[in-house]
Amino acid sequence: MDIVLTGSVAFDYLMTFPGYFRDHILPDKLDKISLSFLVDSYRKQRGGIAPNIAYSLALLGERPRIMATVGEDFEEYRARLESQGVDTSMMKVIPGTITASFFCNTDRANNQIASFYPGAMGYAAQLSFRQWEGKRPDIVVISPNDPQAMKQYVVECRELGIPYIYDPSQQIVRLTSDELRAGIEGAEAMFVNDYEFGLVQKMTRLSAQDLSQILQFMVVTCGKEGSIVYTRGNEFNIPVVPPDLITDPTGVGDAYRGGFLTGYNHKLDLDTCGQMGTLAATYCLECEGTQGHCYTPAEFILRFRKHFDDRGQLDRLHQN
Ligand SMILES: Nc1ncnc2c1ncn2[C@@H]1O[C@H](COP(=O)(O)OP(=O)(O)OP(=O)(O)O)[C@@H](O)[C@H]1O
Ligand SMILES: [Mg+2]
């Protein structure tokens, strides 16, 4: 299966403040906030939803393609993704721009103050499936991106008959009810976390049951409570794989999608896909960053079989 991921591509600039933001916010001066925090650690990380998902797919031996717009500062990131097995030929540099950037300052209570600058991501709607040359993708994933681009990819995939999986997560709030509904109605499947699941139901006025009839399947992740894979006739509750240690929770949702989609690419049973997602998420949780974890397909299978019975299906991962 040829899978194309669309979604944000970003650098994350992460800082930590060795105090509490709350000690510096003056309630009687809220109309004149002027704060600057001296931070004691700084890290620049490769991130963005599309590469995060692609990263787990590539670890498991897939070669996903990413379609996205990036800035002039992207070349080193591109080389890195290519060396990991991600096809970046559809990632277009927009001259004069920088790659989307996420700036986040975290205090000792884990409170965060963040800003996201879209940069080159703001041009994502310039890319189109209509201009697609060569073999058409078997499946597209539409993940959080420039809102205009997300709407456009939905329309294009529907008109061109390209199957897609809808992953609107944090951009749900940027879509109208009609846009969200159109995205869901045209999709094969949807990924959301439990909070987003509530938002989707409220905005579209569709119940969980309605949604599971419209879609071929739907995955709802519930943090440490695990995840649920809904199909038209079934519901699979997938428990988590306990992490050896929790180092950094960022990117777990994306890693889950990467693991799940690998199984989906190999046409494995959907409950097995969910179990692969769960394990891929646990690996991510155990390391710093969204692409800091590492394993071979053989290591993954070995660990998987300590928790789940794949009825031999994971042997197909070796046939790449
Ligand atoms: N504490 C945990 N222990 C084990 N597994 C976890 C834990 N938290 C999350 N996971 C795994 O990761 C999956 C996705 O987590 P979650 O539902 O928090 O996604 P999310 O809210 O989209 O996260 P994010 O968008 O921040 O990456 C869960 O379904 C579960 O399999
Ligand atoms: Mg998420």
Side-chain angles (χ1 to χ4, degrees):
M1 243 194 205
D2 176 27
I3 182 163
V4 172
L5 305 167
T6 68
S8 63
V9 176
F11 286 113
D12 299 336
Y13 298 86
L14 308 173
M15 290 149 275
T16 53
F17 175 60
Y20 297 96
F21 295 143
R22 61 168 183 255
D23 294 343
H24 305 277
I25 294 173
L26 304 174
D28 54 335
K29 294 243 165 67
L30 288 180
D31 54 336
K32 283 197 198 122
I33 291 179
S34 172
L35 286 169
S36 171
F37 297 103
L38 183 67
V39 296
D40 65 353
S41 80
Y42 164 87
R43 227 166 60 237
K44 179 180 176 184
Q45 264 177 206
R46 289 174 287 273
I49 292 169
N52 289 347
I53 299 176
Y55 181 78
S56 290
L57 275 152
L59 284 179
L60 288 165
E62 304 300 298
R63 186 162 169 74
R65 280 196 272 187
I66 296 176
M67 181 170 103
T69 44
V70 294
E72 287 177 345
D73 53 349
F74 183 66
E75 286 318 306
E76 183 217 326
Y77 194 171
R78 183 191 297 280
R80 178 88 183 198
L81 285 171
E82 282 290 340
S83 75
Q84 283 153 345
V86 177
D87 181 336
T88 65
S89 57
M90 304 294 302
M91 300 179 83
K92 187 182 165 207
V93 175
I94 306 293
T97 68
I98 62 162
T99 301
S101 303
F102 176 65
F103 304 89
C104 186
N105 192 3
T106 304
D107 78 356
R108 291 179 79 169
N110 266 326
N111 290 314
Q112 298 188 323
I113 297 179
S115 308
F116 185 82
Y117 174 64
M121 195 186 89
Y123 298 81
Q126 286 187 3
L127 304 177
S128 164
F129 287 101
R130 292 188 209 286
Q131 283 131 37
W132 194 269
E133 284 163 17
K135 189 179 167 289
R136 264 190 22 184
D138 294 313
I139 187 100
V140 165
V141 182
I142 302 181
S143 295
N145 201 339
D146 170 58
Q148 198 52 43
M150 290 176 75
K151 292 176 221 169
Q152 180 187 312
Y153 300 158
V154 164
V155 172
E156 290 177 357
C157 286
R158 289 187 79 161
E159 285 179 12
L160 298 169
I162 302 172
Y164 68 92
I165 296 181
Y166 200 43
D167 173 29
S169 45
Q170 64 256 43
Q171 296 295 46
I172 290 173
V173 294
R174 291 293 301 268
L175 302 168
T176 66
S177 303
D178 287 345
E179 286 160 356
L180 184 60
R181 216 179 155 117
I184 294 168
E185 282 171 357
E188 297 248 316
M190 177 168 70
F191 285 115
V192 277
N193 69 22
D194 52 352
Y195 186 80
E196 295 151 359
F197 191 40
L199 266 183
V200 166
Q201 292 178 68
K202 185 164 173 250
M203 281 178 68
T204 60
R205 302 206 178 145
L206 294 167
S207 65
Q209 225 211 324
D210 298 334
L211 289 163
S212 64
Q213 293 308 312
I214 293 172
L215 296 155
Q216 285 180 30
F217 68 90
M218 175 169 76
V219 180
V220 180
T221 63
C222 313
K224 61 181 185 325
E225 308 303 325
S227 56
I228 308 168
V229 180
Y230 295 88
T231 64
R232 286 195 180 137
N234 240 327
E235 199 180 303
F236 302 103
N237 284 286
I238 317 284
V240 298
V241 171
D244 294 337
L245 78 171
I246 295 183
T247 304
D248 179 3
T250 44
V252 275
D254 300 336
Y256 183 104
R257 286 153 176 72
F260 187 101
L261 290 166
T262 302
Y264 186 70
N265 245 359
H266 285 274
K267 301 192 165 43
L268 307 192
D269 297 339
L270 291 174
D271 56 333
T272 306
C273 295
Q275 292 160 350
M276 288 183 72
T278 284
L279 177 56
T282 292
Y283 273 114
C284 176
L285 202 57
E286 290 171 344
C287 296
E288 190 140 300
T290 57
Q291 299 169 31
H293 50 294
C294 209
Y295 48 80
T296 64
E299 285 163 353
F300 184 93
I301 294 170
L302 202 65
R303 190 168 176 189
F304 184 100
R305 289 180 172 158
K306 289 190 181 134
H307 298 274
F308 306 112
D309 177 11
D310 60 294
R311 303 173 288 275
Q313 295 180 86
L314 261 59
D315 291 345
R316 283 184 231 167
L317 261 55
H318 290 308
Q319 289 159 15
N320 276 328

